[in-house]
Amino acid sequence: DQKEEVARNERYEFLQGLAEKLGARYLVTAHTIDDQAETILHRILRGTGIRGLSGIRRRRQLSEAVTIVRPLLGIRRQEICEYLNARGLSWREVSSNADVRFTINRIRHELLPYLEESYNPAVKGALIRLGAIADEVSRSLAAEVLQRLPECVLLQNDRKVELDRSRLLTYSCNLQREIVGHIWRQQAWPEQAMGYEQWDRIATHI
């Protein structure tokens, strides 16, 4: 999983640099509803919080100059293939997508088909609904985090962050984890191995 995360980050860094060089404001990807379901299930298996359950976001700021957008998140992969075939258009498959040494590919080619066949033919839809609910909750929490930050952050610079522990402990455990996660991302600290257990451990040892 860590190698997958590192490779993904390197791809985005490369594309961000290329977009900035070309003066492009947006980087558009072809993530589909299938990618969304696979990502949510992957995060469930790793252990994630509400923010992780919300899945792939439709847009994300990569830098001050470049925003990544995913306009096809509501469309199935098969629909896109059928559309292209009907118009005689070709596309390119990334060869690594078939490599089941990677967890996300085992989920795509083995686990999800098994769940659809043996448990719920509409499991992808169930995962998407779960992600949509989690996204609503996550957005509400994010607003509260921004409201609470000035109360509990005493000092923040490139080297360290100091928090008002007594103030932070008055918040719910969930809000504590979200505040810690928000600060972590602000500092651009690595998140590759961070799941619910890691965020919870940090929050409970403040």
Side-chain angles (χ1 to χ4, degrees), residues 17-100:
L18 185 61
E20 290 174 349
K21 182 179 179 180
L22 296 173
R25 294 177 55 198
Y26 298 99
L27 174 62
V28 181
T29 72
H31 288 97
T32 65
I33 200 169
D34 301 87
D35 295 303
Q36 184 72 292
E38 293 156 9
T39 297
I40 292 169
L41 183 54
H42 189 192
R43 292 179 181 178
I44 290 172
L45 295 175
R46 287 175 57 187
T48 188
I50 291 294
R51 187 174 185 274
L53 276 180
S54 61
I56 306 170
R57 298 194 177 276
R58 289 188 176 272
R59 58 186 296 137
R60 177 166 68 91
Q61 199 77 27
L62 287 180
S63 69
E64 291 186 4
V66 180
T67 301
I68 185 169
V69 293
R70 303 177 176 99
L72 304 180
L73 268 182
I75 302 175
R76 292 189 177 276
R77 191 180 295 132
Q78 183 179 348
E79 292 179 83
I80 296 173
C81 293
E82 290 172 353
Y83 177 89
L84 294 172
N85 281 328
R87 286 156 181 77
L89 301 173
S90 62
W91 67 89
R92 183 175 298 175
E93 291 280 354
V94 179
S95 58
S96 62
N97 284 348
D99 190 342
V100 293

Side-chain angles (χ1 to χ4, degrees), residues 17 20 30 39 45-46 49 59 70-71 79 89 100 102 111 123-124 127-128 134 142 160 165 178 184-185 192 198:
E20 290 174 349
T39 297
L45 295 175
R46 287 175 57 187
R59 58 186 296 137
R70 303 177 176 99
E79 292 179 83
L89 301 173
V100 293
F102 297 116
L111 181 56
V123 66
K124 287 183 182 178
L127 289 166
I128 295 300
K160 66 177 181 179
R165 184 173 183 273
E178 291 298 316
W184 194 282
R185 289 183 290 275
Q192 287 92 335
Q198 286 74 29

Side-chain angles (χ1 to χ4, degrees), residues 3-197:
K3 289 182 180 178
E4 292 175 70
E5 185 75 20
V6 169
R8 182 162 47 249
N9 289 339
E10 287 179 352
R11 286 197 299 272
Y12 279 129
E13 286 175 10
F14 169 77
L15 292 171
Q16 176 187 326
L18 185 61
E20 290 174 349
K21 182 179 179 180
L22 296 173
R25 294 177 55 198
Y26 298 99
L27 174 62
V28 181
T29 72
H31 288 97
T32 65
I33 200 169
D34 301 87
D35 295 303
Q36 184 72 292
E38 293 156 9
T39 297
I40 292 169
L41 183 54
H42 189 192
R43 292 179 181 178
I44 290 172
L45 295 175
R46 287 175 57 187
T48 188
I50 291 294
R51 187 174 185 274
L53 276 180
S54 61
I56 306 170
R57 298 194 177 276
R58 289 188 176 272
R59 58 186 296 137
R60 177 166 68 91
Q61 199 77 27
L62 287 180
S63 69
E64 291 186 4
V66 180
T67 301
I68 185 169
V69 293
R70 303 177 176 99
L72 304 180
L73 268 182
I75 302 175
R76 292 189 177 276
R77 191 180 295 132
Q78 183 179 348
E79 292 179 83
I80 296 173
C81 293
E82 290 172 353
Y83 177 89
L84 294 172
N85 281 328
R87 286 156 181 77
L89 301 173
S90 62
W91 67 89
R92 183 175 298 175
E93 291 280 354
V94 179
S95 58
S96 62
N97 284 348
D99 190 342
V100 293
R101 289 177 300 175
F102 297 116
T103 305
I104 192 68
N105 291 338
R106 290 200 302 277
I107 290 171
R108 175 179 301 161
H109 299 296
E110 298 175 359
L111 181 56
L112 268 173
Y114 174 72
L115 292 174
E116 287 175 325
E117 181 179 349
S118 303
Y119 289 91
N120 180 3
V123 66
K124 287 183 182 178
L127 289 166
I128 295 300
R129 287 192 295 275
L130 175 64
I133 294 169
D135 187 54
E136 290 181 12
V137 176
S138 180
R139 290 178 186 278
S140 177
L141 270 174
E144 189 170 1
V145 166
L146 293 178
Q147 179 183 348
R148 299 295 185 183
L149 275 177
E151 303 173 354
C152 61
V153 177
L154 301 176
L155 173 67
Q156 183 173 7
N157 56 42
D158 293 340
R159 300 184 62 185
K160 66 177 181 179
V161 179
E162 291 184 9
L163 301 175
D164 184 337
R165 184 173 183 273
S166 60
R167 170 70 70 173
L168 198 62
L169 291 177
T170 65
Y171 307 150
S172 69
C173 293
N174 196 32
L175 185 55
Q176 290 174 31
R177 286 190 294 269
E178 291 298 316
I179 288 173
V180 168
H182 179 87
I183 293 171
W184 194 282
R185 289 183 290 275
Q186 277 188 330
Q187 298 297 111
W189 292 333
E191 294 185 63
Q192 287 92 335
M194 299 300 290
Y196 176 86
E197 183 180 347

